[in-house]
Amino acid sequence: PAAGRGRGRRVTLALLGTWLAAVGAGDLVRAAYDVVSPRRAAVCIAAGLGVLLAGLLLLDLDAARLVLLLVLLGSLQAVWLLGSVLAVGPDRTGPWRDRARSLALLALGGGTVAAVLGAALLTTEPTLPTRLAGTVLGRWPLSDVLVASGVVLAQLATANVVVRLVLDAVGVPATSNEKQLKGGRVLGPMERLFIVGLGAVGELTAAAVVIAAKGLLRFPELQRAQQRLPPAGPSDVTEYFLVGSFASWLVALGGAALIHLA
């Protein structure tokens, strides 16, 4: 029974890692573009589908199950990308922005659930192809490789989009506040990668030091922003920093937990 549970966990994490890698690849193509043209959106979706197909082929599915997962997860990846593009676009306001944000987050969560449940379609534990077994990738199980790839790709651009959606939802949009706390789009992925790497190897204390260092380095800017306003509570910039940082840390810690589980 224990061996069966271990195999089931690895299979589930392998498919979840494949889904995250597809979403991360699609978002990485659009990078920091707030305004995404239909052509670039099509390229982003194609990149995500390509990564998703490659991952599913590694999982050694039969044709029918492969097509089913490709259509289901690919559709959710496209909905996430298009919904988030509409939600963060500067030309979208009011109810349309809220609906697009809700749709994007539902697609992201739905894809995660579909990947977890879809693991039941995998009948055998995934293994690396023979031609890759002699490479450096052969040192780890395929599930570990897929999970690590998915988590890392998700930290680069997808997490930035998630943080922006959370900030918009609580009323401190990044589009205005990031002008005062610059570098967040670059520092965020770097910080998350540090936390994921340190957390994955069990160095949570070192990860906490990284988090504390960010607060210390940002404190002078937060203080200057607060001094420019009347003493009536925290400024939008302070809330932007706190909410954005906690959302970013949660994404990073979730990724570290997935790698640790694998």
Side-chain angles (χ1 to χ4, degrees):
R5 288 194 296 270
R7 186 192 69 82
R9 184 186 74 250
R10 289 189 293 272
V11 167
T12 300
L13 289 174
L15 186 55
L16 182 57
T18 300
W19 156 251
L20 290 176
V23 173
D27 287 329
L28 193 58
V29 173
R30 67 166 159 165
Y33 288 86
D34 288 341
V35 179
V36 178
S37 66
R39 182 177 180 180
R40 180 172 289 275
V43 172
C44 294
I45 294 172
L49 287 175
V51 172
L52 180 60
L53 177 60
L56 292 176
L57 288 174
L58 286 174
L59 297 180
D60 197 24
L61 292 157
D62 60 61
R65 296 180 181 184
L66 187 149
V67 171
L68 175 61
L69 287 174
L70 182 64
V71 171
L72 176 60
L73 296 178
S75 299
L76 289 169
Q77 184 259 341
V79 172
W80 152 256
L81 192 139
L82 295 175
S84 59
V85 164
L86 294 175
V88 301
D91 57 335
R92 296 288 176 176
T93 57
W96 284 105
R97 194 181 189 96
D98 295 337
R99 292 167 188 166
R101 181 174 61 246
S102 299
L103 182 64
L105 293 176
L106 283 173
L108 187 62
T112 302
V113 172
V116 172
L117 298 179
L121 298 176
L122 278 70
T123 56
T124 59
E125 184 175 340
T127 56
L128 278 172
T130 305
R131 62 181 177 275
L132 296 178
T135 66
V136 66
L137 295 178
R139 298 179 58 186
W140 301 281
L142 178 58
S143 59
D144 291 11
V145 175
L146 290 175
V147 168
S149 301
V151 167
V152 169
L153 283 172
Q155 305 304 316
L156 298 177
T158 302
N160 274 358
V161 179
V162 171
V163 171
R164 290 170 67 83
L165 294 179
V166 171
L167 289 169
D168 281 350
V170 299
V172 282
T175 50
S176 56
N177 291 293
E178 68 183 1
K179 295 177 182 178
Q180 300 188 59
L181 292 182
K182 299 178 180 179
R185 296 195 190 190
V186 176
L187 290 174
M190 294 172 64
E191 175 189 61
R192 286 190 295 271
L193 289 176
F194 266 110
I195 293 174
V196 166
L198 293 171
V201 297
E203 295 293 339
L204 294 178
T205 301
V209 172
V210 173
I211 292 173
K214 177 184 179 180
L216 291 174
L217 292 173
R218 286 295 201 185
F219 180 73
E221 295 173 87
L222 293 171
Q223 195 173 38
R224 286 195 295 271
Q226 186 67 39
Q227 289 172 351
R228 289 193 290 267
L229 296 173
S235 67
D236 281 352
V237 178
T238 303
E239 291 188 37
Y240 163 74
F241 172 78
L242 292 175
V243 174
S245 295
F246 272 100
S248 181
W249 296 336
L250 286 173
V251 173
L253 290 173
L258 286 178
I259 293 178
H260 184 72
L261 284 174

